[in-house]
């Protein structure tokens, strides 16, 4: 470069030398002075072209909308008057009875006109400043507020003591005469439902021992005399209640077993726990039929159905899986929860279920796992759910709080806190499991103060004494929800 500059000077090329000096200075400026981290200046032309393409793609079907007669300027009239009268006429036409407004005319692929159906979200035609026609979205109507079904409030009926540790599991006899509970004292206790509900003495009928760690799941068969239990000792046991002893063990879990469910029509048992899998067992042979793998964390809750999905599992990995039992594979994975799924409950009549975590209670369709709605307001870790045939959903929290909901609409008609038994710490007000009896008229909660509490509807309550708070319910339905 220097030799060329010398030749140019010798030849009288002052202009060439000046260009070389400027080019060198520009390179130095670009290298040392310019801020390369700053965003480049926007290109106005490219932005205009991009916006034009988006507008053409979005509104191409209504670009050539013909001008309605009411918006056409009148001959000999002022532009302002014509525009004002046209606007008022359009408002009258669009708000008239029957909704027969010619506010929007679309053209299909054949060029034929199609009239838009009037609705709350229909496009409304207005005259633009340049004489053109604008198709704007009408104002969206507020969502309809469903009317909740009235339910009587529930109150505490009796308290049952007997366990020496946290009560973690409960199941009812299909004949509704007794129920069984399992606790951290490693025992199963069978209670007389009528005596316990009345608070009479002699409610404890039988105590079964055999587990060596906290019992976490119980199920009672409605076709045999068998009772099934699972615990944190990795054991799953089958008890024959005619002999009151263990007749089978189901070996295979690699860690504690946290949940257990019986298939409603087949002789199958489903268990799940800390090894992140659900295992399907043949009850009679005690052999594993399937190992349902897919969860990434502890599986803490199970549901079974007679039709697909025959198994539903909820896990601490924040996921719910619907399983095809014949293939042993996942049918659907529900990832809406942001926190661990600790409890599942199925409606006894509808083909739907609810799931609970620390973030929300969510309602789903069982057939395909379609999300239906959130039940928000129980802001704690929810350990247990229960639903009866009357449409009462109950959620129990880790802090001892109980919320009662209308299952159909999600209206919370009652909130209360449990009361620990005398001599217990306030920190022991936790609810770990719950279940309705077969009639749905009594609710039994298993709690951290080592007691069972039996709840029943208040017979003296009425719609006049405990009305539905429609004002608060309407506000809740129309407010913005995070999830």
């Amino acid at each position: 470069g220097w030799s060329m500059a010398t030749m140019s000077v010798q030849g009288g090329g002052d202009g060439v030398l000046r260009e070389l000096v400027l080019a060198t200075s520009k390179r130095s400026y670009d290298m040392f002075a310019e801020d390369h981290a700053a965003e480049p200046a926007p290109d106005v032309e490219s932005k205009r072209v991009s916006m034009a393409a988006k507008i053409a793609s979005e509104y191409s079907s209504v670009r050539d909308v013909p001008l309605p007669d009411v918006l056409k300027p009148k001959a000999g009239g002022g532009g302002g008057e014509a525009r004002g009268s046209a606007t008022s006429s359009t408002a009258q036409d669009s708000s008239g009875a029957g909704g027969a407004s010619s506010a929007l005319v679309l053209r299909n692929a054949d060029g034929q006109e199609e009239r838009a159906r009037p609705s709350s979200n229909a496009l409304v035609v207005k005259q633009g400043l340049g004489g053109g026609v604008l198709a704007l979205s009408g104002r969206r109507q507020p969502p309809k507020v469903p009317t909740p079904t009235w339910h009587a409030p529930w109150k505490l009926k009796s308290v049952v003591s007997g366990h020496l540790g946290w009560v973690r599991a409960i199941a009812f006899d299909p004949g509704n005469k007794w129920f069984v509970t399992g606790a951290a004292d490693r025992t199963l206790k069978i209670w007389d439902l009528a005596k316990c509900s009345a608070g009479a003495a002699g409610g404890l009928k039988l105590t079964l021992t055999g587990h060596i760690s906290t019992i976490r799941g119980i199920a009672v068969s409605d076709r045999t005399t068998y009772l099934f239990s699972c615990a944190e000792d990795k054991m799953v046991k089958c008890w024959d209640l005619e002999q009151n002893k263990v007749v089978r063990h189901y070996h295979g879990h690699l860690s504690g077993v946290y949940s257990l469910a019986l298939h409603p029509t087949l002789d199958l048992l489903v268990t799940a726990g800390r090894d992140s899998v659900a295992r399907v067992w043949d009850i009679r042979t005690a052999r594993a039929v399937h190992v349902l793998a897919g969860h990434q964390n502890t599986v803490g809750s199970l549901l079974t159905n007679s039709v697909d999905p025959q198994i539903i599992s909820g896990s601490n990995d924040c996921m719910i899986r619907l399983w095809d039992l014949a293939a042993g594979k996942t049918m659907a994975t529900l990832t809406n929860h942001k926190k661990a799924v600790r409890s599942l409950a199925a409606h006894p009549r509808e083909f739907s279920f609810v799931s609970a975590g620390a973030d929300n209670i969510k309602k789903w369709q069982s057939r395909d796992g379609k999300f239906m709605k959130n039940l928000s307001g129980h802001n704690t870790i929810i350990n247990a759910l229960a639903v009866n045939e009357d449409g009462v959903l109950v959620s129990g929290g880790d802090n001892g709080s109980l919320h009662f909901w209308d299952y159909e609409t999600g209206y919370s008609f009652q909130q209360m806190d449990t009361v620990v038994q005398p001599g217990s710490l306030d920190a022991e007000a936790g609810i770990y499991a719950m279940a309705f009896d077969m009639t749905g008229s009594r609710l039994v909660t298993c709690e951290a103060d080592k007691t069972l509490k039996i709840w029943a509807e208040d017979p003296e309550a009425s719609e006049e004494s405990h009305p539905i708070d429609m004002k608060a319910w309407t506000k809740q339905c129309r407010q913005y929800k995070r999830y």
Side-chain angles (χ1 to χ4, degrees):
W2 179 254
S3 59
M4 292 178 60
T6 305
M7 292 173 60
S8 301
V9 170
Q10 293 175 355
D14 295 338
V16 177
L17 178 59
R18 187 171 182 276
E19 291 179 3
L20 289 173
V21 172
L22 290 176
T24 304
S25 302
K26 184 177 184 302
R27 283 197 296 269
S28 300
Y29 180 83
D30 291 342
M31 184 175 297
F32 299 106
E34 190 173 356
D35 185 6
H36 293 279
E39 295 184 359
D43 189 347
V44 179
E45 180 62 20
S46 64
K47 189 174 181 180
R48 185 191 66 79
V49 172
S50 175
M51 186 59 68
K54 290 181 180 179
I55 292 174
S57 174
E58 188 73 21
Y59 300 107
S60 58
S61 59
V62 294
R63 182 177 57 184
D64 299 325
V65 176
L67 192 66
D69 295 337
V70 293
L71 290 181
K72 291 180 180 178
K74 297 180 180 179
E81 285 183 335
R83 191 175 296 114
S85 63
T87 305
S88 62
S89 301
T90 305
Q92 292 175 2
D93 290 347
S94 61
S95 62
S101 172
S102 58
L104 176 64
V105 177
L106 301 178
R107 294 183 182 276
N108 57 21
D110 300 331
Q112 298 176 351
E113 294 183 353
E114 294 179 349
R115 192 174 303 278
R117 295 179 180 177
S119 68
S120 60
N121 297 329
L123 294 177
V124 178
V125 171
K126 292 187 178 181
Q127 187 174 8
L129 296 177
V133 176
L134 297 177
L136 305 177
S137 176
R139 178 171 295 180
R140 181 172 297 175
Q141 296 295 327
K144 292 184 178 180
V145 179
T147 302
T149 304
W150 183 83
H151 299 284
W154 292 64
K155 64 179 184 180
L156 182 62
K157 194 172 182 181
S158 63
V159 180
V160 181
S161 300
H163 279 292
L164 302 179
W166 293 351
V167 189
R168 302 301 301 256
I170 182 171
F172 273 88
D173 162 39
N176 210 40
K177 294 180 180 179
W178 51 266
F179 63 95
V180 57
T181 56
D185 59 4
R186 309 182 298 280
T187 63
L188 291 165
K189 290 183 182 291
I190 298 178
W191 309 84
D192 187 290
L193 179 58
K195 290 182 179 180
C196 290
S197 298
L204 179 62
K205 299 178 66 174
L206 182 67
T207 299
L208 300 173
T209 60
H211 282 287
I212 58 174
S213 188
T214 303
I215 297 172
R216 297 295 295 265
I218 304 172
V220 181
S221 174
D222 58 354
R223 298 196 305 274
T224 63
T225 60
Y226 291 156
L227 165 69
F228 300 88
S229 63
C230 63
E232 293 178 3
D233 54 10
K234 311 179 190 177
M235 294 184 184
V236 181
K237 296 177 181 288
C238 174
W239 306 77
D240 189 343
L241 295 179
E242 289 184 342
Q243 308 175 52
N244 295 334
K245 68 178 184 180
V246 177
V247 294
R248 287 190 195 90
H249 288 87
Y250 301 88
H251 296 285
H253 277 284
L254 306 178
S255 190
V257 190
Y258 284 2
S259 183
L260 171 150
L262 283 170
H263 195 282
T265 55
L266 303 176
D267 287 335
L268 294 177
L269 173 69
V270 187
T271 58
R274 280 188 61 195
D275 53 4
S276 306
V277 298
R279 298 177 185 268
V280 183
W281 310 89
D282 186 328
I283 291 176
R284 295 163 295 183
T285 63
R287 292 183 179 179
V289 178
H290 286 301
V291 178
L292 307 178
H295 284 292
Q296 304 298 318
N297 208 329
T298 301
V299 182
S301 49
L302 290 170
L303 290 178
T304 54
N305 298 307
S306 57
V307 295
D308 285 334
Q310 297 184 53
I311 300 173
I312 302 172
S313 60
S315 170
N316 288 3
D317 62 5
C318 310
M319 295 184 188
I320 301 169
R321 289 181 179 264
L322 281 59
W323 300 91
D324 181 352
L325 181 58
K329 296 181 179 179
T330 303
M331 292 176 56
T333 303
L334 314 180
T335 60
N336 299 46
H337 275 286
K338 305 296 185 296
K339 300 290 184 180
V341 180
R342 288 174 171 258
S343 181
L344 300 172
H347 193 279
R349 292 188 180 274
E350 285 185 21
F351 198 42
S352 61
F353 69 97
V354 287
S355 60
D359 54 348
N360 252 328
I361 301 174
K362 297 181 183 290
K363 184 177 177 182
W364 314 83
Q365 287 183 359
S366 297
R367 180 173 54 85
D368 52 2
K370 181 181 178 182
F371 173 73
M372 298 176 69
K373 66 175 64 179
N374 279 325
L375 283 68
S376 303
H378 199 171
N379 300 318
T380 185
I381 298 173
I382 300 174
N383 290 324
L385 292 171
V387 191
N388 68 4
E389 292 188 356
D390 295 332
V392 176
L393 167 66
V394 189
S395 56
D398 209 46
N399 59 357
S401 58
L402 276 171
H403 280 221
F404 293 81
W405 314 78
D406 176 32
Y407 184 85
E408 181 65 29
T409 60
Y411 170 68
S412 178
F413 65 89
Q414 186 181 7
Q415 304 90 32
M416 68 173 71
D417 291 324
T418 188
V419 180
V420 297
Q421 68 172 340
S424 298
L425 300 174
D426 290 339
E428 291 183 322
I431 298 173
Y432 290 127
M434 63 173 63
F436 283 101
D437 69 348
M438 292 302 162
T439 64
S441 60
R442 285 167 289 193
L443 173 71
V444 182
T445 57
C446 306
E447 306 197 3
D449 62 354
K450 308 171 188 176
T451 65
L452 310 170
K453 293 186 175 65
I454 301 178
W455 310 77
E457 289 184 339
D458 186 356
E460 299 177 357
S462 64
E463 295 190 41
E464 289 73 25
S465 62
H466 295 81
I468 297 173
D469 189 355
M470 283 302 296
K471 184 176 180 181
W473 172 237
T474 302
K475 182 179 179 181
Q476 179 183 344
C477 287
R478 291 181 174 173
Q479 72 181 0
Y480 173 76
K481 295 179 176 59
R482 184 178 177 189
Y483 302 125

